[in-house]
Amino acid sequence: CSPPNVGWGAGYADIIKENKLFEAYYQELGLVPEGEFDQFMAAMREPLPATIRITGYKSHAKEILHCLKNKYFKEIQEVEIDGQKIEAPQPLSWYPDELAWHTNMSRKILRKSPLLEKFHQFLVSETESGNISRQEAVSMIPPLLMKIEPHHKILDMCAAPGSKTAQLIEMLHSDMDVPFPEGFVIANDVDNKRCYLLVHQAKRLNSPCIMVVNHDASCIPRLQIDTEDGQKGTLFYDRILCDVPCSGDGTMRKNIDVWKKWTTSNSLHLHGLQIRIAVRGVEQLAVGGRMVYSTCSLNPIEDEAVIATLLEKSEGALELADASVDLPGLKWMPGITKWKLMTKEGQWYKDWSEVPVNRHTQIRPTMFPPTDTEKLANMKLERCMRILPHHQNTGGFFVAVLVKKAPMPWNRRFPKLRKEQSSSSLPQPEDSPVERERGVGRKSVCMYSDSVLCSRPPPNKKMKRHGFKEDPFVFLTEDDPVFPPIESFYDLSPDFPKINVLTRTHEGKKRHLYMVSKELRNVMLNNSERMKVINTGVKVWSRNSDGEEFGCAFRLAQEGIYTLFPYIRSRMITVSVEDIKILLTQENPYLSKLEEDAHQQAKKMGMGSIVLKYRPDKSNPDGPQCPIELCGWRGKTSIRAFVPRNERFHYLRMLGVEVFRDKQGQGPREEEKEVKEEVKEGETENGNKDVSPKQELRGENRGDEHLKGDEREGGGENLTST
């Protein structure tokens, strides 16, 4: 059985955490400071602490942090398991604003106490609603080093499963008052199925500025966009995250099977791919832009060797940035300038000249340090950062920040960043002189591991589609007949960007309407033949045919409310904390259940979709100190909130209502009885039957098939019941 202090992901006690080749290799390389190797190996054998990150861009972040610190963490300190007090979670010292925490509690421990089980349910529920991410600590580092601003155009080259992508989106939305930041994130992954993991992660953040695409990162297509002067130009990115596939030996604490599978051959096989992806990244980086290269491997063949190759081939166009002051509190080792290479048989080579000819296909010159000492010194490889597990109880990690000072030597010129706003889209000549000279024409240039430039033809116009067949993305025109009733019903402001609205069908009635930012629309319209888009846009309206008799066939969707809200000028009811409690705990309360102010507003409003707006009351410090907007429905005599289950739990917790449930739904805890009583009362008054959670979510996320009969009265279900 597992020791009591193990981290999440335990249960591998039968796997022997030994690999003599691994120990011999890293001991010989000398990456670990003298006298610390035993501590390093001991840490590698310890399970990884669980870490959580609070979604930083939402105004709710402070509320969630307050809830964690003053409720759950305080309660945990009182818990004893088998006579031992539980160690309280601690904030990561280097993560800004106490928004990331780590704990040594395992799942097994979490289920041993009702208080800890409550904490676990809180984590699961808030993760589902996008307010918390369970993410490895070292994985949080690269986005922090990218220095993202809301106008940046960002490419995440190898993005799945998406925890870093989520961080990038958060940073883009650092100002919640701006519904459409100028920038965007294009998140790419080569694996079609993993792209859907990426979609799930990104969807939780409800951003109109994210697009998920499916390409091989080493030859990801160069995209075209319309420039401000009406010309066609090439899209260059202000920030690129290049978190490449790697051998993953820094993840041994989490991925236990790496102990068994680790060999030096893994790094030798990946080195060439890592260079090709990194080269493709810097080719598409704007001059003045930053690219962060990272791996969860400690091996210099995948780390410094790749960076040194990039720097050497860039001929001064790239520079390693000094990121030493960017994350105060983070302990890291500087990059190394000397390393050697070992085969899986244990044979060592210090230099390319020592490698026998029969190994030349497996071992390449770029795997060794540069031989020119002056050139090596100018590279400043010590600016790379290697995080060792025993220094701060984390996984192992490597990260380097590259700044582009000039065009790559094999490209003619790249656009420069504006100082205040980025212009990543100046017109490009079709062929650079290097390409013409080599007879490459309009082919993308890439580099193999031996650093020979070669041409790679662009994908055929009709790309082969693997995996799921995606519905088309169809942008609406400004005069689309769908708009007049929507504009009239919600009194949309004149600056509402109608051309940013899209749907996913060419034929028949439009079921859902989505929105993307202006810049993503530009990318999509100019590159439909070049890229395979898996998902983009945030849902803002869903068809509800019953609404037609009230003036509008489309009801507001909760996931898009923060994008739409600034443009809506009617159908709005200002509610209090008590009103929200009623709306989120009762199935379908009568209008009279609301407090007088909200009751009077609702009485004056016609039936149909509404926005329920809460604004912080400074005279009530115990109430939520952030604005809340909920979608709802004004029925004939009642009112309801159209909010998915986990979001209901989230808002109720912020209001101080306990929504803890027993395991396997074995009945409510004491704390839930009050909620249950309110639910029964609501059911009796309205006489409606419950709709199952699955049906509710189908209604919220897939359409309104089951809502036709009862939506006039608000319809629906109490989602806090078990």
Side-chain angles (χ1 to χ4, degrees), residues 609-670:
S609 188
I610 54 171
V611 181
L612 300 156
K613 180 177 80 170
Y614 165 81
R615 289 297 174 264
D617 179 1
K618 289 182 180 171
S619 65
N620 176 18
D622 294 332
Q625 295 305 301
C626 62
I628 296 172
E629 282 101 36
L630 307 177
C631 291
W633 185 268
R634 157 71 157 97
K636 199 178 292 179
T637 56
S638 61
I639 196 163
R640 73 163 295 191
F642 255 134
V643 182
R645 184 186 194 92
N646 282 307
E647 284 197 51
R648 288 193 176 215
F649 287 174
H650 163 70
Y651 290 121
L652 284 168
R653 284 191 194 98
M654 282 170 58
L655 302 174
V657 177
E658 188 60 73
V659 285
F660 175 48
R661 295 179 301 144
D662 239 346
K663 291 182 227 174
Q664 287 91 40
Q666 293 163 354
R669 298 275 183 191
E670 285 300 313

Side-chain angles (χ1 to χ4, degrees), residues 377-390:
N378 288 337
M379 287 181 179
K380 299 185 170 65
L381 289 179
E382 67 277 1
R383 289 181 173 177
C384 298
M385 305 165 81
R386 182 176 275 103
I387 290 93
L388 298 178
H390 65 294

Side-chain angles (χ1 to χ4, degrees), residues 361-390:
T361 52
Q362 188 191 20
I363 298 171
R364 306 302 306 148
T366 53
M367 296 176 181
F368 296 93
T371 49
D372 184 327
T373 51
E374 188 182 346
K375 193 183 280 184
L376 184 62
N378 288 337
M379 287 181 179
K380 299 185 170 65
L381 289 179
E382 67 277 1
R383 289 181 173 177
C384 298
M385 305 165 81
R386 182 176 275 103
I387 290 93
L388 298 178
H390 65 294

Side-chain angles (χ1 to χ4, degrees), residues 124-157:
V124 170
S125 176
E126 293 293 337
T127 299
E128 275 302 305
S129 57
N131 297 301
I132 279 177
S133 281
R134 286 161 72 170
Q135 181 181 357
E136 195 174 339
V138 287
S139 161
M140 303 173 192
I141 294 169
L144 294 175
L145 295 176
M146 289 173 76
K147 298 193 173 176
I148 286 166
E149 294 174 29
H151 61 269
H152 283 156
K153 294 163 178 60
I154 306 161
L155 173 64
D156 188 349
M157 298 187 79

